C-alpha cells in the first residue's frame, strides 16, 4: 500500500539511561521555607502521607523536578491507559549494563512516582504473586494526569478495571511496544540498508475516526490501535483490532461494517491516498479461522479486501512485512 507519510506521533525517543540517586523525596524541594496552599507540594514529609491539593505554581515546580525519563513514563502510562512494570521497562529502561540493573532502576523510579501520587498501582497483578514486581500494573494518578495534560484534571473517580478490560488494554499496548522495541533493535543492530520506521502510532482515543453516516448522524470508528510503518519508499497503514475471543462473530462483523461505512466516506483516502488495512489479531488458530470464514461469507466485505486476520504470534511480522 502506497501512501503519504503522516505526522509522527510515536512514543518518546531514546531517554537518558540514568536515575538520580536520591530517595523518593527528590520530588520535593525540602530547602524551601514555609509554603502556602498553592505551594503545598513543596515538601513531601512522608512517603505514606498524601499531599494536600497542588496548585499551578507547585505543579510547575514539580515538573521541573522530574527527570525526562520520569515524565516519559507518566506520558506512556497515560497514553496506553494501563501498562505493566515489564512493559514500562521495555519502553524506558533499556541500554543499561544488565537486565538486573534495568529492573532495579525501574523499580526505584516507579516506587517514587507511586509514592508521590503520580502513578497508581492496581491491586490486580499480571501473573499473580509469583510474577514479582514486573507483574504490577500501573495507571496514571490525578496528579500525574495534570502534569501530562498541563493542569487538566481527570473527571470522576477511577475504579479498579475488570479482568477483561485489563487484559485487552495490556494486549493492545503489547502490540505497540513490540513495534517500538523491534524498530529500536533493528536500527541499533542492522547492517543492511533495509529498515522500517514507525511514522505514526496512535492508541485509543487518538486513533478514533468520526464521520457522517448518511442521514443516521455522526458515527465514531474506534480501532484499538493505528500504526503507519515506512518501508523504504512505501508506507503501510493499519487499523488494529485485538480480539480475545470475548465477542461473538456477529459483533466482529458489526465492527467490520463500521469500517466499511468509513471506507465509503473516502475521508481517509482523500487525506492519505489509501485506506488502511484492518488487522484482526486473535489468540488461537481456531478463532482466526472462525473470523476469517465469517468475513469471507460476506460479499460486501470480501470485495473491499480490507481485512486481515492473524494470530498474536504473527502480528508483528505482518505489520512490519505488509499485508500479503
Amino acid at each position: 500500500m502506497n501512501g503519504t507519510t503522516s505526522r509522527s506521533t510515536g512514543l518518546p525517543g531514546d531517554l537518558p539511561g540514568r536515575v538520580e540517586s536520591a530517595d523518593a523525596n527528590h520530588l520535593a524541594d525540602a530547602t524551601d521555607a514555609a509554603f502556602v496552599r498553592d505551594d503545598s507540594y513543596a515538601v513531601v514529609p512522608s512517603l505514606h502521607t498524601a499531599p494536600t491539593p497542588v496548585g499551578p505554581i507547585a505543579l510547575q515546580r514539580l515538573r521541573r523536578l522530574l527527570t525526562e525519563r520520569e515524565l516519559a513514563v507518566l506520558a506512556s502510562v497515560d497514553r496506553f491507559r494501563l501498562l505493566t512494570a515489564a512493559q514500562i521497562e521495555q519502553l524506558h529502561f533499556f541500554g543499561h549494563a544488565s537486565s538486573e540493573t534495568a529492573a532495579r532502576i525501574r523499580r526505584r523510579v516507579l516506587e517514587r512516582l507511586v509514592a508521590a501520587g503520580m502513578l497508581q498501582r492496581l491491586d490486580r497483578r499480571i501473573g499473580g504473586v509469583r510474577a514479582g514486581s514486573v507483574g504490577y500494573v500501573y495507571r496514571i494518578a490525578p496528579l500525574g494526569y495534570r502534569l501530562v495534560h498541563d493542569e487538566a484534571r481527570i473527571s470522576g473517580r477511577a475504579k479498579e478495571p475488570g479482568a477483561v478490560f485489563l487484559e485487552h488494554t495490556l494486549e493492545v499496548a503489547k502490540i505497540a511496544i513490540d513495534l517500538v522495541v523491534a524498530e529500536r533493535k533493528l536500527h541499533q543492530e542492522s547492517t543492511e540498508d533495509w529498515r522500517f520506521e514507525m511514522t505514526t502510532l496512535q492508541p485509543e482515543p487518538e486513533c478514533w475516526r468520526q464521520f457522517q453516516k448518511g442521514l443516521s448522524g455522526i458515527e465514531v470508528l474506534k480501532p484499538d490501535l493505528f500504526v503507519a510503518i515506512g518501508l523504504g519508499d512505501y508506507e503501510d497503514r493499519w487499523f488494529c483490532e485485538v480480539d480475545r475471543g470475548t465477542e461473538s462473530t456477529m459483533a466482529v462483523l458489526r465492527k467490520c461494517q463500521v469500517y466499511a461505512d468509513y471506507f465509503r466516506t473516502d475521508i481517509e483516502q482523500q487525506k492519505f491516498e489509501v485506506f488502511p488495512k484492518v488487522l484482526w489479531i486473535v489468540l488461537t488458530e481456531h478463532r482466526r479461522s472462525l473470523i476469517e470464514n465469517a468475513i469471507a461469507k460476506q460479499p460486501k466485505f470480501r470485495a473491499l479486501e480490507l481485512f486481515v486476520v492473524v494470530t498474536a504470534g504473527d502480528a508483528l511480522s505482518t505489520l512490519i512485512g505488509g499485508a500479503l
Side-chain angles (χ1 to χ4, degrees), residues 17-92:
R18 65 175 182 86
V19 174
E20 287 74 6
S21 59
D23 62 15
N25 284 326
H26 92 288
L27 297 175
D29 184 358
T31 62
D32 280 9
F35 48 89
V36 296
R37 179 181 177 84
D38 194 43
D39 231 6
S40 61
Y41 209 82
V43 176
V44 181
S46 168
L47 299 185
H48 306 289
T49 302
T52 50
V54 181
I57 296 174
L59 201 67
Q60 291 175 15
R61 171 191 263 157
L62 260 182
R63 189 178 285 109
R64 290 195 300 269
L65 291 172
L66 289 169
T67 66
E68 283 187 68
R69 176 154 58 184
E70 287 166 339
L71 287 168
V73 167
L74 293 176
S76 292
V77 174
D78 173 68
R79 197 173 187 209
F80 287 102
R81 298 187 288 187
L82 298 169
L83 286 177
T84 66
Q87 290 175 328
I88 294 170
E89 187 173 318
Q90 282 183 289
L91 283 173
H92 300 294

Side-chain angles (χ1 to χ4, degrees), residues 248-250 252-253 256 287-299 301-302 309:
S248 67
T249 52
M250 288 303 299
V252 171
L253 293 177
C256 289
R287 183 69 174 176
R288 184 192 65 77
S289 297
L290 199 64
I291 292 179
E292 212 168 48
N293 291 336
I295 293 173
K297 289 178 182 178
Q298 303 291 323
F301 297 154
R302 192 170 62 246
V309 188

Side-chain angles (χ1 to χ4, degrees), residues 269-287:
Q269 297 92 313
Q270 289 182 21
K271 287 183 178 180
F272 306 106
E273 299 181 9
V274 295
F275 191 89
K277 286 281 189 178
V278 181
L279 185 67
W280 285 93
I281 302 166
V282 301
L283 295 181
T284 65
E285 280 293 336
H286 174 72
R287 183 69 174 176

Side-chain angles (χ1 to χ4, degrees), residues 29 100 119 125 152 176 220 248 294 318:
D29 184 358
E100 291 78 11
L119 287 181
R125 192 185 308 191
V220 181
S248 67
T318 302

Side-chain angles (χ1 to χ4, degrees), residues 8 44 77 96 101 147-148 195 206:
S8 173
V44 181
V77 174
H96 293 283
T101 301
L147 284 164
V148 172
R195 293 182 178 182
E206 295 173 43

